[in-house]
Amino acid sequence: HVCPQPPRSCEDYWWEWKHCRGLRHAFHHYYAHGELPVCDRWRDDYEACRAWEKGHSAAAQVLAPPSERARVTEKQKYAPVWTLRKNPPPDWYLPLDQDKPN
């Protein structure tokens, strides 16, 4: 029975953990959310990924996917701000009417 790979490479989890612990990110997160970021999840995922690489352990396979699924769900719960267009507007080549009053 071949075990599936983790959804990301282990280095991705390591760099996310390092970024999360960085001073600039911590300051921004504190400014935006009023609390320091919690970075333990990235470290846990990194360790689980390494455990999976070393021994394909079942515990590591169970740990990483739920946290990855939680991240994807978190991203998907916010609607996009802009409506995406399929084609440009028909008059895209005309100059903007910046000088005209509204």
Side-chain angles (χ1 to χ4, degrees):
H1 174 264
V2 177
C3 300
Q5 293 254 9
R8 299 181 180 195
S9 73
C10 295
E11 287 73 28
D12 288 348
Y13 296 115
W14 176 257
W15 288 113
E16 289 285 358
W17 179 68
K18 294 292 278 183
H19 169 73
C20 185
R21 293 187 53 215
L23 183 59
R24 176 179 275 174
H25 175 69
F27 179 75
H28 173 75
H29 194 277
Y30 186 79
Y31 178 78
H33 303 285
E35 61 187 20
L36 290 174
V38 178
C39 303
D40 297 339
R41 187 173 66 174
W42 291 112
R43 179 67 183 211
D44 294 343
D45 288 349
Y46 172 74
E47 290 172 358
C49 185
R50 284 294 179 205
W52 183 90
E53 280 186 347
K54 286 181 184 172
H56 299 285
S57 76
Q61 287 180 19
V62 170
L63 179 61
S67 59
E68 196 65 36
R69 271 183 261 143
R71 284 188 200 100
V72 170
T73 305
E74 178 82 17
K75 278 183 164 181
Q76 291 175 345
K77 76 178 181 181
Y78 298 105
V81 176
W82 306 108
T83 305
L84 300 178
R85 294 190 287 220
K86 304 251 189 270
N87 299 314
D91 58 349
W92 67 269
Y93 57 89
L94 296 176
L96 296 176
D97 296 332
Q98 295 176 357
D99 298 330
K100 288 186 179 179
N102 291 338

